[in-house]
């Protein structure tokens, strides 16, 4: 190896040892800078005789080219390494599971109400919605509740610190039954011109699901709960129709034919006669037990009068059931409070 080859080897080793671009520039200066070793060689040419100058000069130039090539190679390798390090640092693992937003879902009671609406809808029932803050007349008087009925007491009903135009306290409706009156009145008004012209009034067929309130709280009672009112009024609607409609509802709601329905005599001020509707499944975890699912009855003549209709001409039945209880039966939930605690571990099961 002559002195020039040695110089190339020394420069290459020096360049390769530089860990950063800045240090590589320092190494470059040591060979190609103003007082670098290659520059020193070129300066030495001056002392040579002319015939040697030419060959030596060409050799040094060639040397300079080789050193520059080594420098460039190292520059590229450093840039490459820097790019690799950056890519590594910003690496994105596309195989990681996504972090998506959790999907929401309907509350089991909302699902149940939608189900009730769909089933009664298929039987020609309209769906009505009404106020949760009610007047005394709508919640009680119109429904034939006597003045001294316990439902009117503070122990049962939440009152609102506001009075209606008759000076009676407003209440948080303790049942959906006022919707019978609101809907029937609107229906009677709507069809009054046709009736006055001698036409028959179309039947009233409606359900009214919604929130209801009572001063009550334990494993089977919540101060806020849900009811679904049903009303069917026509010229010739009887208990037989109620039994058919309700049985059909139970069959569709629980997706089984294997059950019995019984009407157990009871009392409600707004119906006469009145009955509790019980069902018993023939199989499954609840088999053989009578389960109360609704109150019902033939609408009392006084109530029909409050609808704005003639009880001689318009008769029918009403029922009131609890969607919360239906949801619990359908999904096998044993504590009503679970429904209203807002615990996602419970709710997520219904997504
Ligand atoms: N409103 C009653 C309650 O809250 C339930 C009820 C019973 C509704 C009989 C009715 C009915 O429409 O006919 O306990």
């Amino acid at each position: 190896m002559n002195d020039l080859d040695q110089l190339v080897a020394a420069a290459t080793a020096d360049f390769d040892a530089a860990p950063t671009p800045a240090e590589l520039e320092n190494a470059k200066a040591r060979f190609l800078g103003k007082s670098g070793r290659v520059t020193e060689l070129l300066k030495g040419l001056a002392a040579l005789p002319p015939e040697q100058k030419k060959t030596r000069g060409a050799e040094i130039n060639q040397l300079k080219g080789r050193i520059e090539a080594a420098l460039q190679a190292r520059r590229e390798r450093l840039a490459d390494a820097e790019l690799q390090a950056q890519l590594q640092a910003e690496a994105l693992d596309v195989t990681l599971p996504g972090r998506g937003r959790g999907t929401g879902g309907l509350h089991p009671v909302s699902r149940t109400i939608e189900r009730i609406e769909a089933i009664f809808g298929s039987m020609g029932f309209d769906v009505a919605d009404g106020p949760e803050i009610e007047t005394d007349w709508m919640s009680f008087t119109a429904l034939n509740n006597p003045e001294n009925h316990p439902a009117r007491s503070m122990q049962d009903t939440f009152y609102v610190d506001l009075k209606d135009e008759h000076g009676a306290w407003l209440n948080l409706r303790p049942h959906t039954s006022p919707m019978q009156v609101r809907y029937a009145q609107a229906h009677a008004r709507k069809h009054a011109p046709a009736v006055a012209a001698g036409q028959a009034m179309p039947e009233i067929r409606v359900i009214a699901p919604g929130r209801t309130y009572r001063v009550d709280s334990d494993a089977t009672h919540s101060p806020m709960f849900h009811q679904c009112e049903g009303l069917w009024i026509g010229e010739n609607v009887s208990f037989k129709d109620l039994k058919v409609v309700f049985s059909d509802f139970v069959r569709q709601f629980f997706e089984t034919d294997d059950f019995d329905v019984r009407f157990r005599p009871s009392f409600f001020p707004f119906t006469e006669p009145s009955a509790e509707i019980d069902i018993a499944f023939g199989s499954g975890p609840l088999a053989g037990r009578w389960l109360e699912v609704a109150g019902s009855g033939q609408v009392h003549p006084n109530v029909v009068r409050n609808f704005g209709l003639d009880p001689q001409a318009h008769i029918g039945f009403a029922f009131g059931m609890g969607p919360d209880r239906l949801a619990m039966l359908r999904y096998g939930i044993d504590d009503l409070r679970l429904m209203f605690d807002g615990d996602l571990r419970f709710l997520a099961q219904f997504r």
Side-chain angles (χ1 to χ4, degrees):
M1 212 190 265
N2 64 29
D3 60 335
L4 297 186
D5 286 337
Q6 271 171 12
L7 197 52
V8 172
T12 306
D14 215 7
F15 295 160
D16 288 352
T20 64
E23 287 179 59
L24 181 58
E25 293 314 303
N26 289 340
K28 172 193 168 188
R30 284 197 287 279
F31 293 89
L32 302 171
K34 259 195 214 125
S35 50
R37 292 170 68 180
V38 176
T39 320
E40 291 303 322
L41 283 178
L42 286 169
K43 283 180 192 161
L45 281 178
L48 290 180
E51 62 280 11
Q52 282 184 33
K53 238 185 217 170
K54 208 173 162 201
T55 45
R56 185 68 176 166
E59 280 170 8
I60 296 172
N61 269 333
Q62 204 225 4
L63 162 88
K64 203 177 160 191
R66 286 165 68 193
I67 290 177
E68 277 169 349
L71 175 69
Q72 188 54 29
R74 180 61 184 157
R75 275 194 185 130
E76 282 168 16
R77 256 178 290 131
L78 279 180
D80 214 39
E82 193 181 8
L83 181 65
Q84 285 306 326
Q86 193 181 348
L87 286 176
Q88 204 84 66
E90 293 170 7
L92 186 66
D93 184 351
V94 295
T95 66
L96 282 176
R99 231 182 275 133
R101 303 181 178 206
T103 47
L106 285 183
H107 191 280
V109 172
S110 301
R111 280 177 177 265
T112 300
I113 289 175
E114 285 196 349
R115 197 172 166 79
I116 293 170
E117 289 176 0
I119 295 169
F120 278 100
S122 76
M123 295 192 266
F125 281 72
D126 195 7
V127 177
D129 197 11
E132 290 172 29
I133 296 179
E134 262 300 4
T135 62
D136 198 66
W137 193 82
M138 283 289 180
S139 285
F140 303 116
T141 314
L143 292 164
N144 202 36
N145 268 88
E147 276 313 324
N148 55 358
H149 194 280
R152 293 191 181 222
S153 84
M154 296 286 203
Q155 278 72 44
D156 279 2
T157 301
F158 287 107
Y159 283 88
V160 178
D161 200 3
L162 282 173
K163 289 183 175 175
D164 63 19
E165 69 265 34
H166 306 293
W169 296 109
L170 297 176
N171 58 75
L172 293 185
R173 65 179 181 187
H175 52 183
T176 45
S177 301
M179 280 307 294
Q180 290 186 33
V181 186
R182 288 185 177 275
Y183 187 91
Q185 285 185 339
H187 184 92
R189 271 197 303 274
K190 179 173 159 193
H191 296 286
V195 171
Q199 288 173 28
M201 193 185 77
E203 286 190 342
I204 294 173
R205 229 182 281 182
V206 66
I207 59 165
R211 277 186 282 271
T212 46
Y213 304 84
R214 275 182 219 175
V215 185
D216 231 345
S217 187
D218 59 39
T220 51
H221 296 90
S222 148
M224 186 285 300
F225 58 105
H226 298 82
Q227 284 197 344
C228 181
E229 199 72 15
L231 180 67
W232 185 357
I233 298 286
E235 291 179 359
N236 204 6
V237 179
S238 75
F239 247 93
K240 183 188 69 191
D241 300 300
L242 173 57
K243 185 162 189 182
V244 170
V245 163
F246 207 85
S247 301
D248 208 31
F249 166 71
V250 172
R251 183 173 303 117
Q252 291 190 56
F253 186 86
F254 290 106
E255 296 172 283
T256 177
D257 282 322
D258 191 11
F259 66 93
D260 270 338
V261 174
R262 99 179 158 187
F263 286 79
R264 181 162 41 85
S266 184
F267 170 78
F268 299 100
F270 33 89
T271 45
E272 180 60 41
S274 306
E276 303 278 0
I277 307 179
D278 300 335
I279 60 173
F281 295 108
S283 56
L286 299 165
R289 274 170 50 196
W290 285 109
L291 308 161
E292 183 184 317
V293 290
S296 68
Q298 178 163 337
V299 180
H300 195 287
N302 288 347
V303 177
V304 176
R305 237 171 257 122
N306 289 330
F307 289 169
L309 299 173
D310 174 5
Q312 296 297 321
H314 303 281
I315 61 168
F317 60 77
F319 58 86
M321 57 187 176
D324 307 334
R325 183 155 161 75
L326 289 175
M328 289 170 77
L329 290 173
R330 183 166 147 83
Y331 296 119
I333 300 164
D334 56 8
D335 191 329
L336 178 68
R337 289 170 292 198
L338 280 171
M339 304 264 235
F340 307 123
D341 280 350
D343 187 333
L344 283 177
R345 289 169 303 178
F346 171 74
L347 296 172
Q349 300 174 63
F350 302 92
R351 271 206 294 247

